[in-house]
Amino acid sequence: EWYMKPDGQIPAYEWNFGDVNPPVHAWSSLQVYHIEKRKTGKGDITFLKRVFQKLIINFTWWINRKDPNGNNMFEGGFLGLDNIGVFNRSIQLHSEMEQEQADGTSWMGMYALNLMDMAIEIAMHDVSFEDTATKFFEHFVLISEALNEMGLWNEEDKFFYDMLGSPHAD
């Protein structure tokens, strides 16, 4: 079991508890579940439910804290998929500019799919989780659409890049 703050944040590391790492807890929990299921012939649904409830709180923290514009584009602070970047992602930019992160958004897409997979697995034993599986599929679709519609895809390079831009006016 890991430590989670009451607001849902899972601290990153001892030299900066306020920073974040990629949200891989759902993926790793699914791996543990499936390894045990292969070895024993039975998955521990109670374990999956307990972890799932905590991960929903953490996912909500990401939605509320790392998507400041509410457009399904996520900031992170952690090293990206490419492990390089022009800007230090852990420090707020000293201007009106904001950085939309392709990698932070991609990690959140994976997080939504992992939570969907967990909900589907649990729903095979408890049908009340079916709606939750659908909800995480919807999150994945919205995140995917944002990646494709916010101008982060470079057709020439066939690669997603972070974007630096002005905050969206309401």
Side-chain angles (χ1 to χ4, degrees):
E1 191 166 338
W2 62 83
Y3 172 76
M4 177 186 292
K5 289 175 54 181
D7 66 2
Q9 181 185 10
I10 298 172
Y13 30 75
E14 63 274 5
W15 61 87
N16 188 353
F17 289 126
D19 209 348
V20 293
N21 278 322
V24 296
H25 296 84
W27 173 82
S28 61
S29 297
L30 272 170
Q31 295 302 308
V32 168
Y33 172 82
H34 287 300
I35 289 168
E36 179 180 21
K37 190 174 180 179
R38 277 193 305 273
K39 287 186 175 196
T40 66
K42 183 176 184 230
D44 186 348
I45 292 297
T46 301
F47 161 78
L48 214 53
K49 281 183 174 182
R50 290 181 71 197
V51 170
F52 185 73
Q53 296 303 322
K54 290 179 181 179
L55 292 173
I56 288 174
I57 296 167
N58 179 250
F59 187 87
T60 303
W61 178 87
W62 276 90
I63 296 289
N64 291 331
R65 297 291 193 315
K66 298 298 182 177
D67 181 16
N69 295 317
N71 60 2
N72 294 297
M73 296 298 299
F74 294 86
E75 300 173 353
F78 48 84
L79 292 175
L81 297 172
D82 56 3
N83 287 335
I84 59 169
V86 177
F87 302 101
N88 181 342
R89 301 171 197 186
S90 295
I91 298 173
Q92 180 67 38
L93 296 173
H94 298 290
S95 69
E96 292 296 316
M97 304 302 280
E98 291 181 350
Q99 186 177 12
E100 301 287 9
Q101 293 184 5
D103 50 2
T105 303
S106 299
W107 282 116
M108 284 301 290
M110 185 181 100
Y111 198 4
L113 286 178
N114 291 151
L115 289 171
M116 181 192 74
D117 286 345
M118 289 176 85
I120 290 170
E121 186 71 26
I122 296 167
M124 290 192 285
H125 303 272
D126 182 344
V127 296
S128 68
F129 281 75
E130 288 177 358
D131 292 339
T132 310
T134 301
K135 183 63 181 162
F136 284 109
F137 176 71
E138 291 168 353
H139 273 292
F140 174 73
V141 169
L142 291 171
I143 292 167
S144 298
E145 286 177 344
L147 267 175
N148 290 321
E149 294 174 3
M150 295 298 290
L152 279 68
W153 177 252
N154 180 294
E155 186 60 37
E156 184 178 329
D157 293 346
K158 306 284 187 220
F159 193 78
F160 287 98
Y161 289 100
D162 291 353
M163 180 175 67
L164 192 61
S166 299
H168 297 61
D170 293 333

